């Protein structure tokens, strides 16, 4: 149920609307919401597009992260990229007309991100993009198009690492719009560390800390094509077991569609789970000896925990975690996989640099301060 919204003219405050839609968005929005609560000049509202509509992928995150109930839940659900983006735009335009935001905040690189940014700018509402400037330079990734388009629509661009600033400068975006603030995902993680360390999720699965592997695979390049998915599943046979694999709904559907479910379950020591809530998943990550993934955000989390992170991609939009963290790009290359495990066995796999632990410090406070300064300077309808 959406709560009643008082008109902005009655409240006398600037109204900031943050749009969330997919699992990673929630973790990034939570510290921003907390930071804005302490600023009396701002009224902060959430709009949930419903891009992730499964309870385990969506609502439970609001509860765990302490996010308030959304002012609007658009209920868009899944679909093809164009279909989903169009539905979000239609529904979010109506939400904007009702809520009258002074600033729309979008996070990450999902379809909800670019759809909301485009709608806001068409309505002459300024946009702030959190995690701006990240680039994989792989145009086969839908997320890459979402990132580029959103950045070129945005008035405020909050970058998580120096490479993002370089990318934005190269693309000709006015440097006055760009702010290097750090990695908001790590701020959320560090804020929950006491609860994560109490959780000890591996014990509930009968496992010992540091004696199991963790896998997460969901990107189209790995799961939407039968040959690619089969190669990915066969790579998991090389992983030292037991292996815990919370399986994304997209991956479940592809495994069933291509008849590969049995191949996955035949892997010795394979433990498949439904998608885990945030605290449970991060607890599993902290306790793992290695994580095999194609996620972007997990590269940051694994690096903070100093857990080796093998990425089943040829590129990453977060090079700082290759350079300073525990990320190793292995694609679906069997030899690279084997070499990485040999390094782990001999104690030669890289460790995170100390600077990784500083990337998540005070990120939301920096973002909130810049947004309030922007609004109070009279930019609320600027192009």
């Amino acid at each position: 149920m959406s709560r009643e919204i008082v008109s902005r003219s009655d409240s006398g405050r600037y109204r900031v609307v943050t749009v969330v839609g997919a699992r990673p968005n929630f973790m990034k929005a939570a510290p921003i919401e907390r930071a804005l609560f302490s600023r009396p000049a701002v009224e902060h509202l959430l709009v949930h597009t419903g891009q992730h509509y499964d309870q385990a992928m969506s609502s439970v995150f609001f509860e765990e992260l302490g996010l308030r109930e959304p002012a609007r839940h658009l209920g868009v659900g899944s679909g093809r990229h164009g279909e989903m983006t169009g539905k979000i735009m239609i529904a979010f335009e109506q939400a904007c007309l009702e809520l009258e935001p002074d600033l729309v905040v979008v996070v990450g690189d999902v379809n909800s991100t670019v759809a909301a940014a485009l709608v806001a700018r068409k309505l002459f509402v300024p946009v702030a993009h959190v995690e701006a400037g990240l680039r994989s330079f792989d145009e086969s990734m839908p997320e890459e198009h979402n990132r580029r388009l959103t950045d070129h629509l945005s008035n405020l661009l909050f970058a998580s690492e120096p490479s993002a600033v370089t990318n934005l400068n190269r693309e000709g975006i006015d440097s006055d719009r760009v702010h290097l603030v750090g990695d908001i995902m790590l701020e959320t993680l560090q804020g929950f560390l006491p609860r994560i360390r109490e959780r000890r999720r591996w014990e509930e699965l009968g496992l010992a800390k540091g004696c199991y592997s963790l896998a997460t695979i969901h990107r189209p390049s790995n799961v939407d094509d039968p040959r690619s998915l089969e190669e990915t599943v066969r790579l998991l046979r090389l992983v030292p077991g037991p292996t815990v694999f919370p399986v994304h709904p997209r991956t479940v559907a592809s495994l069933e569609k291509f008849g590969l479910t049995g191949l996955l379950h035949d892997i010795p020591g394979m433990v498949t789970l439904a998608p885990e809530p945030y605290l449970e998943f991060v607890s599993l990550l902290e306790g793992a000896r290695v994580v095999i993934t194609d996620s972007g955000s997990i590269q940051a989390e694994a690096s903070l925990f100093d857990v080796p992170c093998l990425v089943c991609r040829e590129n990453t939009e977060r090079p700082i975690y290759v350079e300073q963290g525990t990320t190793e790009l292995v694609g679906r290359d069997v030899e690279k996989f084997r070499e990485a495990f040999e390094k782990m066995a001999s104690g030669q796999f890289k460790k995170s640099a100390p600077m990784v632990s500083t990337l998540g410090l005070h990120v939301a406070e920096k973002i909130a301060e810049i947004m309030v300064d922007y609004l109070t300077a009279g930019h609320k309808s600027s192009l």
Side-chain angles (χ1 to χ4, degrees), residues 18-212:
T18 296
V19 180
V20 295
R23 174 174 173 150
N25 295 165
F26 310 136
M27 285 85 90
K28 298 163 191 173
I32 295 171
E33 182 170 77
R34 286 193 294 272
L36 289 173
F37 279 167
S38 65
R39 287 164 167 79
V42 172
E43 176 189 20
H44 182 249
L45 304 174
L46 281 169
V47 170
H48 184 1
T49 68
Q51 182 175 333
H52 273 172
Y53 52 90
D54 182 273
Q55 168 73 13
M57 300 292 284
S58 178
S59 300
V60 70
F61 283 86
F62 281 81
E63 299 164 14
E64 284 197 330
L65 298 170
L67 283 166
R68 292 192 302 169
E69 181 185 354
R72 296 288 185 276
H73 194 304
L74 306 184
V76 169
S78 63
R80 297 182 300 275
H81 286 289
E83 175 190 11
M84 186 191 303
T85 304
K87 286 180 177 178
I88 294 168
M89 290 180 67
I90 293 168
F92 185 62
E93 182 178 49
Q94 184 60 40
C96 279
L97 293 173
E98 294 169 2
L99 299 177
E100 298 181 321
D102 294 301
L103 179 69
V104 167
V105 181
V106 296
V107 295
D109 54 21
V110 298
N111 290 333
S112 297
T113 307
V114 68
L118 185 55
V119 165
R121 291 310 301 271
K122 290 282 189 179
L123 294 174
F124 303 102
V125 178
V127 173
H129 184 202
V130 178
E131 288 194 336
L134 297 179
R135 299 288 183 269
S136 66
F137 303 102
D138 180 357
E139 294 197 2
S140 69
M141 294 178 64
E143 296 88 349
E144 184 74 358
H145 300 286
N146 292 344
R147 295 179 198 118
R148 289 177 181 270
L149 291 169
T150 303
D151 286 338
H152 285 267
L153 289 165
S154 296
N155 304 78
L156 293 173
L157 298 99
F158 297 113
S160 60
E161 60 177 86
S163 72
V165 176
T166 300
N167 294 334
L168 294 170
N169 290 339
R170 186 186 298 119
E171 293 173 20
I173 291 176
D174 185 350
S175 60
D176 290 342
R177 298 184 182 190
V178 180
H179 304 272
L180 179 60
V181 294
D183 194 332
I184 193 76
M185 179 68 83
L186 289 187
E187 178 168 8
T188 298
L189 181 60
Q190 287 168 311
F192 280 94
L193 276 178
R195 289 178 62 186
I196 291 165
R197 287 178 171 153
E198 290 173 1
R199 192 67 188 83
R200 302 178 69 85
R201 172 71 170 116
W202 59 84
E203 291 182 350
E204 297 173 358
L205 300 175
L207 302 171
K209 186 175 183 180
C211 297
Y212 63 91

Side-chain angles (χ1 to χ4, degrees), residues 215-244:
T216 69
I217 303 291
H218 72 281
R219 290 200 180 266
S221 59
N222 284 322
V223 306
D224 282 5
D225 173 76
R227 180 174 177 180
S228 299
L229 182 55
E230 183 173 353
E231 287 177 358
T232 303
V233 172
R234 292 191 183 281
L235 275 179
L236 294 178
R237 287 185 172 275
L238 304 177
V239 179
T243 300
V244 180

Side-chain angles (χ1 to χ4, degrees), residues 166-328:
T166 300
N167 294 334
L168 294 170
N169 290 339
R170 186 186 298 119
E171 293 173 20
I173 291 176
D174 185 350
S175 60
D176 290 342
R177 298 184 182 190
V178 180
H179 304 272
L180 179 60
V181 294
D183 194 332
I184 193 76
M185 179 68 83
L186 289 187
E187 178 168 8
T188 298
L189 181 60
Q190 287 168 311
F192 280 94
L193 276 178
R195 289 178 62 186
I196 291 165
R197 287 178 171 153
E198 290 173 1
R199 192 67 188 83
R200 302 178 69 85
R201 172 71 170 116
W202 59 84
E203 291 182 350
E204 297 173 358
L205 300 175
L207 302 171
K209 186 175 183 180
C211 297
Y212 63 91
S213 304
L214 180 64
T216 69
I217 303 291
H218 72 281
R219 290 200 180 266
S221 59
N222 284 322
V223 306
D224 282 5
D225 173 76
R227 180 174 177 180
S228 299
L229 182 55
E230 183 173 353
E231 287 177 358
T232 303
V233 172
R234 292 191 183 281
L235 275 179
L236 294 178
R237 287 185 172 275
L238 304 177
V239 179
T243 300
V244 180
F245 187 1
V247 191
H248 190 284
R250 181 190 197 106
T251 309
V252 170
S254 290
L255 288 165
E256 293 174 353
K257 178 180 178 181
F258 303 136
L260 295 171
T261 305
L263 185 66
L264 176 68
H265 289 298
D266 284 345
I267 297 175
M270 176 59 65
V271 180
T272 58
L273 305 173
E276 292 277 283
Y278 177 65
L279 296 180
E280 279 74 5
F281 177 79
V282 181
S283 174
L284 282 172
L285 177 57
E286 186 201 14
R289 62 182 156 207
V290 60
V291 58
I292 297 89
T293 188
D294 53 13
S295 166
S297 57
I298 289 173
Q299 297 171 44
E301 295 165 333
S303 292
L304 185 67
F305 287 135
D306 215 18
V307 172
C309 180
L310 304 187
V311 177
C312 298
R313 291 165 50 188
E314 303 296 334
N315 50 62
T316 179
E317 63 280 2
R318 301 169 187 268
I320 197 165
Y321 297 114
V322 177
E323 299 159 3
Q324 303 285 340
T326 57
T327 293
E328 191 80 30

Side-chain angles (χ1 to χ4, degrees), residues 5-6 8 11 13-16 39 41-45:
I5 301 300
V6 178
R8 191 174 62 251
S11 71
R13 295 183 290 168
Y14 294 103
R15 180 167 289 166
V16 176
R39 287 164 167 79
V42 172
E43 176 189 20
H44 182 249
L45 304 174

